[in-house]
Amino acid sequence: MFPKDIEFYEPIYPEPPWKKFLPYLSIDGIEVTQAIQYYKAHLHLTDSNDRGPDNSVTLVANKPAYIRVYLRTRVNAPLIFKGSPVFSTEISDVTGQVEVSRRRFGSLYSQAIVLDALPPGKVTARYSIDYTQERGSIVNTLNFLIPADEMCGNLRLKVTVTAPSNYQDETTIYINVTLRQTLRLRGVFVGYNGPTSTSPNAPTITLNAPTINDLETTSAMTLRVYPVQSDAVYGSAGTITWNLPLTDAATQPGACSPNWDALIAAVRAQQVLDGNRTDVLYYGLLPVGIPMGPIIGCSGGGTSTGSDGDQETMAHELSHHCTLPHAPCGGVGTVPWFPTYEPYPSASIGEYGLDIDNGAILSPVNHKDLMSYCGPVWISLYNYGRLVNNARLHPETVCQDDIFIWDKLKQYKKYKFKFPPPPEAVWPPIPDPETILKRDMNELEPIKVIAITGILHPEDRIEITSLLRLEAVPRVVGGTKTDILAELLDEKGETVTQSYLYEVPTCGSSGCGCQEGGSGAGVRPTVFQAFLADVASGYLFHIRRGKEVLWRREAPQRSPEIEDFDFKVSDKYLTVSWKIGSAVEDPECGLQWSVDDGRTWNALAGGLHGGRARFEFSQLPDREFLLRLLVSDGFFTMASDPKIVDSSGFVPAPSILSPHEDQLFISGNMMRCRGVITSPTGEPIKVEEVDWILDGESRVATRLDAFIEAPSEGEHKLTLLIHFGKHSVEKTVVFYTVAIPKE
């Protein structure tokens, strides 16, 4: 009827004057967090020195992040009647989207992903709300979640919120996510065969050593609170069997008990058998039920220990390994430099934390730093900052855009076009890659050494627990140099090689306290270690202070001999047997394995006795490997001819880090499904297909790291199915949900 080129427009009427007094929707602020974050710190931290700009706590790559969008309603004029706005000040059913874009070439952005609001997907915007009330509950903000694989690079977050009646607002922020850190965890798995207590005639119990799956599940809290990527690197440093109850009292505040110290020495000796690697954090994992208390974990320099399933103790002890001190609460941690976040009590975390596994908010009013002995615990601003760019977590710069290429292009005169200015500055700045590179250059390679491990008792009494010659990294992590000298002499009494002993002060996770700042050195008994260059067999070992000889051992008349070494594979076990001829009674024995034709060797078991040992396939590489026996009397270390063992029929089992067994969630909130599967060699397994099955019926996710809406109130079963190669494996956990009544 009408020509196609005619366009019709709606008539334009002037806006009614009263409309300017109606409320409108506004984004009041945005918080991006992975564990703890600054947001409007001036509204709750009274000391300006404790405050930081919004989102200035460092975010790390390849770890999920929550986006909390804070909403307000505003009015265009101050129309007030008896102290209250005339019109309604709430806008309900506000929802929105976040467009995540990644920077390229210094100024260009390409869209990476569009995020929808998390369940329930809507929130009410208010004219005014108490800061503590709003910040302290996830239901008062519109929330989004950036997946781990999208958290990398210089990101632009364009947030758009909408509501009925054409309410709308949008804003954009920039975040820098170019730092990636990795938890590299290697377990020393401790079995127990000993008395139930230190009491005379106490009954004996036998407990199997934990497995690499137990190491994975116990690390769940560490992965949540540390600034590290979601994917940890796990490995096995073998097993030892312990026979002393850990129920004895601490020698004094600031130290572990004598039996705990002896266990730390045994774990450190196992690290030496494993090569004493400096690229991992070693953790001695104890079986559930081992006699202990009041001390429930102990750390000494580069060695930490704790029970299977005790996630808080692992996070605490590994933090000692990363040089974190105690926080001042519970009668410990008198650290003058640990801040008091006013107006909060001692050891407060200082800001609001967020658990990315379930969206729970951790308030600084009652949550304490995990390095204190008060609770409930979370990571504080202070210790989170000390873990950023921490050498023990292997920091690296990743996902940088190509701005440096463009900078080089500017050097050429033929490029005459102008370069647009970069977007607004991001906080914090990009980590300096040169600094990180120099830090990595400090890593050492294994060499031939004589490794001495023992206990230094009061009055300079020396107890040697391990004396091995092998290839290892000659570094005592966390040690303090003493004036006690270990020497190897030849037949003429001349020094062949020597090294000072290094004390390793220990800290107990119990509330007993820990001497901070290295002041624990000198407490006896304590663990010590020394590495001497292995240049000759020698005639006499002695340890002396000045001219006073504290310990000595002469070389035996002959070196040990391995008369027989064999193994047998049956069912799901590997049984190893051996026979030794030695001039020394009960020489030190250990087993090692290699999957690279003997170029590097890893510990399978140390402190072996009796000529026989049995191992489950879960403790072995899932492929063909070489197995050898080491026998040492301190002067000679003999290695058997390697045996070829084929355990390729073993299929690794998966672990579920979230939810953990019997965990409680709020129905309708987000919950994380986090699974992991690792080869016993520590290498990742290429997963082909993943299924999360809820209550045996619903397929709720198809990725190892996924987020779902927590189901209705009650008991639930969640099964992880993983398919790789010709294998299918599964793991099931039980969890619970509760419904929170709506207002």
Side-chain angles (χ1 to χ4, degrees), residues 233-255:
V233 178
Y234 301 97
S236 170
T239 62
I240 61 174
T241 300
W242 191 241
N243 56 15
L244 295 176
L246 304 173
T247 55
D248 54 330
T251 52
Q252 68 174 56

Side-chain angles (χ1 to χ4, degrees), residues 401-464:
D401 55 329
D402 304 315
I403 185 172
F404 304 109
I405 297 176
W406 285 93
D407 286 341
K408 291 180 180 179
L409 293 177
K410 292 179 187 179
Q411 299 173 8
Y412 297 93
K413 295 182 179 179
K414 62 180 180 180
Y415 293 96
K416 299 295 185 180
F417 52 85
K418 295 182 179 180
F419 290 84
E424 62 182 86
V426 294
W427 185 277
I430 298 171
D432 178 13
E434 289 297 323
T435 302
I436 296 175
L437 180 62
K438 291 176 183 177
R439 185 183 300 120
D440 290 341
M441 290 171 62
N442 293 328
E443 302 296 346
L444 304 176
E445 295 294 330
I447 61 173
K448 290 184 177 181
V449 296
I450 305 170
I452 306 175
T453 307
I455 306 294
L456 185 57
H457 292 275
E459 300 178 353
D460 287 345
R461 181 169 67 87
I462 301 289
E463 177 188 353
I464 301 296

Side-chain angles (χ1 to χ4, degrees), residues 159-173:
V159 182
T160 303
V161 294
T162 58
S165 302
N166 296 321
Y167 290 114
Q168 182 174 328
D169 193 22
E170 68 177 39
T171 191
T172 300
I173 66 168

Side-chain angles (χ1 to χ4, degrees), residues 196-228:
T196 56
S197 71
T198 55
S199 302
N201 303 318
T204 299
I205 59 172
T206 300
L207 302 171
N208 293 329
T211 67
I212 197 168
N213 295 99
D214 300 315
L215 183 73
E216 291 167 344
T217 55
T218 307
S219 70
M221 181 178 182
T222 304
L223 290 173
R224 295 201 309 274
V225 301
Y226 275 32
V228 294

Side-chain angles (χ1 to χ4, degrees), residues 107-108 138 163 190 234-235 261 367 373 407 429 447 556 669 673 736:
S107 59
L108 304 178
I138 200 76
V190 182
Y234 301 97
D261 284 338
H367 282 80
Y373 289 134
D407 286 341
I447 61 173
N669 281 11
C673 302
Y736 299 87

Side-chain angles (χ1 to χ4, degrees), residues 54-220:
D54 288 0
N55 299 313
S56 59
V57 172
T58 301
L59 300 168
V60 293
N62 301 125
K63 181 176 184 176
Y66 261 77
I67 304 173
R68 299 187 67 188
V69 180
Y70 296 84
L71 300 170
R72 288 290 182 273
T73 58
R74 309 293 189 193
V75 290
N76 289 321
L79 189 61
I80 304 298
F81 179 72
K82 293 185 178 180
S84 300
V86 171
F87 297 100
S88 172
T89 58
E90 291 189 357
I91 299 176
S92 59
D93 297 332
V94 181
T95 187
Q97 285 187 330
V98 176
E99 178 186 302
V100 181
S101 300
R102 187 168 290 109
R103 193 177 77 186
R104 299 188 62 199
F105 308 122
S107 59
L108 304 178
Y109 283 83
S110 60
Q111 186 183 106
I113 191 174
V114 176
L115 308 174
D116 293 321
L118 298 179
K122 296 179 181 180
V123 72
T124 298
R126 296 177 172 84
Y127 180 81
S128 177
I129 184 173
D130 177 73
Y131 177 88
T132 302
Q133 178 186 353
E134 182 179 40
R135 189 90 189 278
S137 176
I138 200 76
V139 302
N140 292 321
T141 51
L142 191 62
N143 308 299
F144 304 84
L145 195 143
I146 308 178
D149 53 0
E150 297 292 348
M151 277 294 289
C152 202
N154 289 282
L155 303 181
R156 182 182 68 189
L157 309 182
K158 182 179 180 181
V159 182
T160 303
V161 294
T162 58
S165 302
N166 296 321
Y167 290 114
Q168 182 174 328
D169 193 22
E170 68 177 39
T171 191
T172 300
I173 66 168
Y174 298 85
I175 58 174
N176 172 19
V177 195
T178 55
L179 171 66
R180 182 170 65 198
Q181 300 192 132
T182 305
L183 178 65
R184 300 173 60 89
L185 194 56
R186 201 160 175 86
V188 175
F189 303 109
V190 182
Y192 186 73
N193 185 12
T196 56
S197 71
T198 55
S199 302
N201 303 318
T204 299
I205 59 172
T206 300
L207 302 171
N208 293 329
T211 67
I212 197 168
N213 295 99
D214 300 315
L215 183 73
E216 291 167 344
T217 55
T218 307
S219 70

